[in-house]
Amino acid sequence: MYQVYWRSFYDTNGDGYGDLQGVIEKLDYIANLGVDVIWLNPCYGSPDVDNGYDISDYYGVMEKAGDLDTLERLINEVHQRDMKIIMDLVVNHTSDQHPWFLESASSKDNPKRDWYIWKDPKDGVVPNNWRSYFTPSVWEFDDQTGQYYMHSFAVEQPDLNWESPEVRHAIYDMMHFWLKKGIDGFRMDVINLLAKIEGFPDADDPYDISYLGNNPGIHEYLQEMNEKVLSHYDVMTVGEIPFVTPEDGLLYVGEDRNELNTLFHFEVADNMPTWDMLRYKEIQERWYEGLKGKGWNSQFLNNHDHTRQVTRYGNDQQYRKQSAKLLATLLHTLPGMPYIYQGEEIGMTGVRFSSIDDYQDIAMKNKYKEEVEKGRDPEEVFESLLLLSRDNSRTPVQWNDSHNAGFTTGTPWMKVNPNYKEINVKEALQNRNSIYYYYKKLIQLRKENEVIVYGDFVDHSKNDENLAVIKNW
Ligand code: TEU
Ligand code: CA
């Protein structure tokens, strides 16, 4: 699976944003790697507060990305190259500019009031102590109606109320619309957050936000979604499922569950700040044993939310090529579907801009503001956020050593990583020993040796912290 974060992929109209036409023009590059499936990050209508994860029009394409015709052409061009394409399904929340929310917020007796989660103040303040991913509270007060609404992410991303059958059926209709357009499935954004804890009680530890996910009711929603939509098509689904263990994970992807096909868990990406071989092998073994013969996992070490793997888990200076190849060898020989995040195949690295103003990620900017407002030293706060800022992996793909790395003829929406002169696709394609050709060989090896995909996993290097000897047979 190759993830295309289109706004940083390739700009064809000089507005500084990558676009869908840019993806079409680079499809041969992706296909030549041996990719089977493309995961396209959201390009629906959106005010772009959270880079498209705040949707205001599920049936449209945001102007920065292009238009519906271009998207349909992209789907067709992908299929012509015998590849598949899945799109992001973001249905835990919408944008606060979505017409549904504008109606819901307009009055307490609006028919769509219960399409979102509204609560009265409790003792004059927020209904409970839950924190959101991006803000100190999940509750935002609305003066007009004197109630709070819940948002698990930014204020501009109100959570939908999945208890409402009307909400669920509106989402299912939208899913049919895209599946009938010929997409091959969905990557489902934080899909385990749809069900909220009954009664919204205070959390013992508000900083451990796992109370946002895996609540009673979630499996009924996903089984209904499967019955009403997914089971009608030959498609694949991958759930983004934070806070989940192998046992819980199996409840989402077990073949007998009729919910999802595969999942991403975050035991590595969220809980292993730097490389820890023993921990990594323990996590791999536990997930292998937990899903073996019943469910299918994913393998990734970076994406648009997590900094570049060669920087975080490898060595992006002296041993950049070697460590990039080592990490790729792990990912493409472990159980589960391997994901390649755009640019990973040429060993693109994390970035280090000099000022918070060079960063765009709302999660990082909100955290910076929250910490500085507590009185912490701005420089120290900035330094503490650099390594894990999501922008590390959102700098434009480096196509060549020309201005702006050949990404755009305009001003890039996000600065290009200054190392583009050495690290770029053009150089990689001209160098037989490049990371790119190594990925190409790995992908081919996996396709030619089913034992790598379906063989058993046994770790023969158990306690060695520098070695992973994992044998399939
Ligand atoms: O990410 C969800 C989210 O922020 C976490 O699960 C994340 O993957 C990680 O655990 C934090 O380190 C999804 C999208 O991938 C992200 O880009 C959006 O901002 C977010 O949901 C809200 O839609
Ligand atoms: Ca563009």
Side-chain angles (χ1 to χ4, degrees):
M1 177 87 74
Y2 188 90
Q3 180 189 352
V4 174
Y5 195 69
W6 54 267
R7 69 184 62 229
S8 300
F9 192 64
Y10 183 55
D11 172 20
T12 57
N13 64 352
D15 69 352
Y17 285 91
D19 41 56
L20 299 179
Q21 181 56 31
V23 184
I24 292 173
E25 293 183 16
K26 297 292 184 183
L27 277 182
D28 288 334
Y29 167 74
I30 297 174
N32 291 339
L33 201 49
V35 165
D36 295 314
V37 190
I38 288 172
W39 156 25
L40 185 69
N41 283 98
C43 58
Y44 311 98
S46 165
D48 243 7
V49 168
D50 184 22
N51 290 7
Y53 281 93
D54 51 313
I55 295 170
S56 54
D57 176 8
Y58 281 111
Y59 291 85
V61 172
M62 77 165 85
E63 192 270 332
K64 276 174 189 144
D67 54 30
L68 208 45
D69 287 348
T70 310
L71 180 49
E72 288 178 327
R73 213 157 18 85
L74 169 60
I75 295 167
N76 182 36
E77 291 286 337
V78 166
H79 291 159
Q80 281 185 23
R81 293 166 175 78
D82 292 330
M83 293 191 289
K84 307 275 188 189
I85 181 167
I86 69 172
M87 286 177 64
D88 232 304
L89 185 76
V90 187
V91 294
N92 173 68
H93 46 272
T94 68
S95 161
D96 62 351
Q97 300 309 306
H98 194 295
W100 295 345
F101 185 73
L102 297 176
E103 278 191 57
S104 176
S106 64
S107 78
K108 288 170 80 168
D109 51 15
N110 181 285
K112 284 197 169 56
R113 189 66 175 182
D114 73 339
W115 280 44
Y116 293 84
I117 299 170
W118 295 94
K119 294 276 173 238
D120 287 327
K122 193 172 108 186
D123 308 328
V125 291
V126 290
N128 68 20
N129 65 354
W130 297 357
R131 287 181 59 88
S132 92
Y133 272 96
F134 297 164
T135 56
S137 170
V138 298
W139 301 105
E140 177 69 7
F141 191 68
D142 166 55
D143 295 316
Q144 193 174 338
T145 57
Q147 286 191 313
Y148 288 88
Y149 68 84
M150 179 177 172
H151 57 90
S152 297
F153 290 90
V155 165
E156 299 87 346
Q157 293 171 290
D159 281 36
L160 282 165
N161 172 22
W162 271 74
E163 286 188 9
S164 156
E166 289 176 345
V167 164
R168 301 203 302 272
H169 288 95
I171 296 299
Y172 301 156
D173 290 347
M174 176 269 289
M175 292 174 72
H176 279 294
F177 171 84
W178 287 108
L179 290 166
K180 287 191 172 80
K181 289 242 177 274
I183 66 169
D184 303 290
F186 292 106
R187 175 267 189 187
M188 298 192 177
D189 190 59
V190 285
I191 201 68
N192 60 320
L193 302 193
L194 303 185
K196 317 307 186 189
I197 300 178
E198 181 86 31
F200 297 85
D202 267 347
D204 297 339
D205 170 11
Y207 282 83
D208 169 5
I209 61 173
S210 57
Y211 46 77
L212 292 177
N214 307 315
N215 293 308
I218 183 60
H219 295 294
E220 288 73 11
Y221 292 152
L222 293 178
Q223 285 158 17
E224 182 186 70
M225 180 189 283
N226 191 302
E227 191 251 324
K228 300 280 188 206
V229 185
L230 300 169
S231 58
H232 298 247
Y233 305 87
D234 177 20
V235 292
M236 76 158 279
T237 53
V238 51
E240 183 197 30
I241 316 247
F243 321 121
V244 81
T245 61
E247 295 69 35
D248 296 343
L250 191 56
L251 298 177
Y252 291 94
V253 299
E255 285 175 13
D256 59 348
R257 297 285 300 170
N258 299 316
E259 295 188 22
L260 306 178
N261 299 125
T262 66
L263 65 85
F264 298 135
H265 68 75
F266 289 89
E267 288 204 42
V268 175
D270 272 355
N271 308 334
M272 195 175 91
T274 54
W275 189 254
D276 176 344
M277 178 67 98
L278 294 181
R279 180 180 173 78
Y280 187 74
K281 292 192 291 188
E282 185 276 326
I283 292 170
Q284 289 297 336
E285 183 133 24
R286 199 155 30 84
W287 274 89
Y288 175 69
E289 292 307 325
L291 298 188
K292 182 165 63 174
K294 294 174 262 179
W296 205 246
N297 201 354
S298 306
Q299 294 295 344
F300 71 99
L301 286 172
N302 56 192
N303 58 28
H304 65 293
D305 291 331
H306 296 93
T307 192
R308 291 274 176 188
Q309 62 194 44
V310 74
T311 297
R312 185 178 184 190
Y313 295 131
N315 169 301
D316 65 3
Q317 302 299 322
Q318 186 179 356
Y319 298 108
R320 184 178 65 84
K321 289 199 174 182
Q322 295 90 329
S323 61
K325 292 176 182 178
L326 267 178
L327 292 171
T329 306
L330 262 179
L331 291 173
H332 289 257
T333 55
L334 281 166
M337 178 183 264
Y339 281 70
I340 300 171
Y341 176 59
Q342 66 181 40
E344 171 191 327
E345 76 279 2
I346 61 166
M348 276 178 66
T349 71
V351 73
R352 187 185 172 81
F353 295 135
S354 56
S355 148
I356 188 73
D357 300 329
D358 292 328
Y359 288 84
Q360 316 269 341
D361 174 13
I362 186 166
M364 177 189 191
K365 294 178 91 82
N366 280 8
K367 192 67 188 165
Y368 177 83
K369 184 166 166 283
E370 182 186 350
E371 292 305 309
V372 168
E373 281 173 357
K374 284 180 188 167
R376 281 182 59 192
D377 167 51
E379 265 313 299
E380 185 219 312
V381 173
F382 179 65
E383 280 300 319
S384 73
L385 296 175
L386 277 185
L387 178 67
L388 295 185
S389 162
R390 302 190 300 177
D391 284 343
N392 278 295
S393 54
R394 297 178 177 184
T395 61
V397 170
Q398 294 158 200
W399 294 103
N400 55 51
D401 59 0
S402 74
H403 188 52
N404 286 328
F407 164 71
T408 178
T409 57
T411 305
W413 74 278
M414 159 83 67
K415 279 182 179 174
V416 174
N417 191 318
N419 61 21
Y420 73 92
K421 290 209 179 294
E422 302 80 43
I423 302 173
N424 60 69
V425 167
K426 186 176 164 220
E427 182 279 330
L429 294 178
Q430 288 168 347
N431 175 347
R432 297 303 303 162
N433 293 320
S434 67
I435 300 165
Y436 175 89
Y437 287 117
Y438 190 83
Y439 266 77
K440 193 175 164 90
K441 277 184 269 184
L442 264 181
I443 292 168
Q444 197 176 347
L445 184 75
R446 187 179 167 86
K447 286 184 176 174
E448 290 166 356
N449 297 275
E450 288 210 338
V451 68
I452 295 179
V453 181
Y454 300 107
D456 271 351
F457 163 103
V458 177
D459 176 4
H460 290 275
S461 55
K462 276 253 182 301
N463 302 320
D464 189 317
E465 56 187 54
N466 295 308
L467 199 57
V469 178
I470 292 161
K471 181 175 181 181
N472 304 305
W473 68 75

